[in-house]
Structures are given as C-alpha cells and as structure tokens.
Amino acid sequence: MPITATAAPAPDPMGADRTLTPEILGPAPLTPETIAHLEERARHVRLETIRLIAIAKVGHYSSTFSCAELFATLYYDAMRLRHGEPRWPDRDRFLMGKGHAAVGLYPLLADWGFFPKELLDGYTRLGNPLGDHPDMTKVPGVDFSSGSIGHALSAGLGMVMGGRMTGRRFDVYVMLGDGEMQEGQVWEAAMAAAHQKAGNLIAIVDRNGYQLDGQVDEVMGIEPLAGKWRAFGWEVHEVDGHDVAALATLFRRLKQDKARARPACVIARTLKGKGVGYMEREAGWHLGYLAPEDEAAAIAEIMGQPASPAIPREAAAQGDAR
C-alpha cells in the first residue's frame, strides 16, 4: 500500500539545513569528519542490505554493495534535499536504472524521514510498500519506478525538461549499471540530452564489470565507454567509486558548475560485492541468500573484524541485468 511521509521534520542527518547548501552558502569543507561520516553511511547501506535481505530470504547483495559509496555520497553530501519532505518541488532527483539495488536505498530514504523507519522491518512482506524494486507510487522519496533496464536516463531527461518548463532548476542524478549500456534507449536519451543542453543531468555508471550473465565485456563489450559518452556530447569524468572523498569532490564540482551546458557522465570504477571478500570473488552473488553463519561472517568483515575462514556456498544467480 502507498505510504506518506512523517508529518514533523526531524533533525537533518547531516546536522545542517540542506536547503541552504551548496547553492547559497557553498558546501562545507570536506573534512576528515565528513569523509568518515560518508564511509560510515556506506557501511550502513551494506549492513542494512544484509538485514533486509534476511527478511526477504533472497536479494541482490553484490549489485548493492558496488554502489554503497555512491548512495552515501549522493544522499549525505551531493544532493539538495529537505528532511521529511520527499515531494519538495526544488529537491534534486535520483533515478536508478539498476532498480534491483533499491534494498540499499530504502534505509537512506527512511533516514531522511521520508517514511517511518519501522517499515524497513517488513521489507517485501505482504502489504509492505518496500519491494525488491522501487515503486514511486508507493514509496515517498523514490522518484522513478525502475526494474526494466534502460529507461531511467530518458525519464531523468524528462525531469530536467519539466523543470526547465516550470522555471525550476534542480539536478537530476541517474545511476546506471554497466550492463545497462547495452540498451539502445540509453544512447537515444544520451543523444537527446546533449542536444537539449541538459547541463543539470548527471549520469552515473556503476562500472563494476559484471551483469547477470557474467562479465559485461564478454556478454557484449561496451568499451571505450568514456569515449562513447564524449562522442554523444557529454562531459565525462572517471573516478574510484569506493573513494568517498574523490566522489564528494567530483559531485561538489559538478554542482557548483552552473555554466555547464553539457550533461555530465560519471564513470565510477567499482567492485561488485565490495566489502565482502567472497562476494568480490564470486559472480554468483548477483542474487542469493546468506545462511546464518555466512551472514555473520559478512557482517564481521564489513565491520572490519577478522573474516571467517569458512568457504561459503555458491549463490543462485537469476534476475535482471546488472
């Protein structure tokens, strides 16, 4: 069933009025404390992903782990949002082509007060609005219902154009899987965005190298990826997708560049399953379920404790591309 946001705004997760930054006051300095906070939020994404999938009994671990730092940096440093106001008209928008990673996004939306945190405890259960893929008609804070790969960039461009028509300028961030680069509609949208001079559209490619059926470049090669985006008229940046300091620095620079007419593409080099060693080494964790002893070992490793010497079972792989 649809849910509504909490009525009374709670303190901002970043401890500041995010409606004033960075456009009006400029971003706060990127301090060691800020970096540590972003790293902690990425760790929170991974831990909550494990907890929620334990409720569902199956889910997308490695696809979510590869973009945990991206989630954290966007929602706690880059994006312009208001706590408790998921429908604020001037908010920045976020869309995911790789909608199967929504399990890592929901905890952040709850942290922003967009819906009660208690709903997380019923993830995917009958009557609960939080499903394996995000539904904008049911979950406040979700800007686009995704799951069918390839459509998010087109929708993101539509939001940019809609904002232009109504006199609003907000940034639109669209996260895409690298396997999603094999979809023709992505490149139609890329061509249109450059033509429309959609400077406030930012595509983020989670370049973790794998999709459902194996290595992306073996299924269908996508390189030279940066060159292709440039050829379509985009400004392109490549970055370590697990380095929150590098991500925050880049996103802040893009946010401050109001003169940019070209849309920007951020190619984030990531590792699928990042944070849990055996998931980083085994492609089968695109979709799976952790037995209790494997769950405990994964949590320990994410928390920086000694990894378990046990060899985990192979996970079943099925579902969507990247």
Side-chain angles (χ1 to χ4, degrees):
M1 65 174 69
I3 52 179
T4 57
T6 51
D12 187 300
M14 288 297 289
D17 184 351
R18 296 294 303 287
T19 67
L20 297 180
T21 59
E23 284 87 351
I24 298 175
L25 297 179
L30 190 59
T31 63
E33 291 76 18
T34 301
I35 294 170
H37 179 70
L38 295 177
E39 291 173 340
E40 185 280 325
R41 289 290 83 189
R43 187 162 53 248
H44 176 70
V45 167
R46 292 187 173 95
L47 294 173
E48 279 292 275
T49 294
I50 290 175
R51 184 177 78 87
L52 298 187
I53 291 178
I55 297 170
K57 306 305 182 188
V58 68
H60 297 87
Y61 295 101
S62 58
S63 300
T64 305
F65 290 175
S66 70
C67 58
E69 282 78 16
L70 288 165
F71 279 153
T73 307
L74 287 169
Y75 274 86
Y76 295 95
D77 194 79
M79 291 175 62
R80 189 168 181 253
L81 303 168
R82 276 184 178 172
H83 193 275
E85 297 185 40
R87 303 297 296 173
W88 179 42
D90 292 319
R91 72 190 184 281
D92 287 341
R93 272 66 167 173
F94 176 71
L95 301 81
M96 281 196 298
K98 47 177 289 179
H100 52 283
V103 64
L105 176 63
Y106 294 145
L108 306 188
L109 300 182
D111 199 28
W112 271 97
F114 294 162
F115 56 80
K117 291 184 179 182
E118 292 75 18
L119 280 174
L120 296 170
D121 300 334
Y123 170 67
T124 71
R125 299 301 85 188
L126 185 64
N128 189 289
L130 306 179
D132 190 49
H133 292 73
D135 188 335
M136 64 184 293
T137 69
K138 296 180 180 179
V139 185
V142 170
D143 291 313
F144 180 65
S145 302
S146 56
S148 181
I149 298 296
H151 304 302
L153 192 62
S154 295
L157 175 58
M159 292 178 187
V160 168
M161 300 300 293
R164 185 180 296 176
M165 292 172 65
T166 57
R168 300 183 185 279
R169 183 182 169 95
F170 42 76
D171 289 329
V172 179
Y173 299 86
V174 182
M175 182 185 291
L176 308 166
D178 49 2
E180 198 169 356
M181 301 298 95
Q182 298 160 355
E183 296 280 351
Q185 187 172 334
V186 170
W187 300 105
E188 292 180 33
M191 180 167 52
H195 176 76
Q196 295 293 341
K197 296 180 172 55
N200 52 324
L201 178 63
I202 301 169
I204 305 164
V205 180
D206 182 5
R207 185 66 167 114
N208 63 34
Y210 282 86
Q211 60 191 101
L212 168 63
D213 294 324
Q215 293 187 34
V216 170
D217 293 326
E218 290 183 357
V219 175
M220 184 183 294
I222 62 174
E223 294 293 349
L225 187 58
K228 288 176 181 176
W229 283 96
R230 290 191 181 100
F232 273 77
W234 287 56
E235 177 179 306
V236 180
H237 302 268
E238 299 188 67
V239 65
D240 181 345
H242 298 303
D243 184 339
V244 295
L247 289 170
T249 299
L250 174 56
F251 285 134
R252 288 176 178 207
R253 185 153 46 106
L254 293 174
K255 172 73 75 174
Q256 291 297 302
D257 185 4
K258 299 303 180 186
R260 186 181 65 252
R262 291 189 296 166
C265 175
V266 174
I267 299 175
R269 303 287 175 176
T270 62
L271 186 62
K272 196 163 184 177
K274 176 68 174 178
V276 178
Y278 59 77
M279 289 189 184
E280 295 174 3
R281 297 187 296 271
E282 298 176 12
W285 287 101
H286 178 88
L287 183 67
Y289 174 66
L290 287 167
E293 62 271 23
D294 297 332
E295 178 181 311
I299 291 172
E301 187 171 353
I302 291 169
M303 295 300 294
Q305 300 166 4
S308 168
I311 299 175
R313 292 177 298 279
E314 182 85 10
Q318 62 184 41
D320 20 38
R322 228 336 291 119

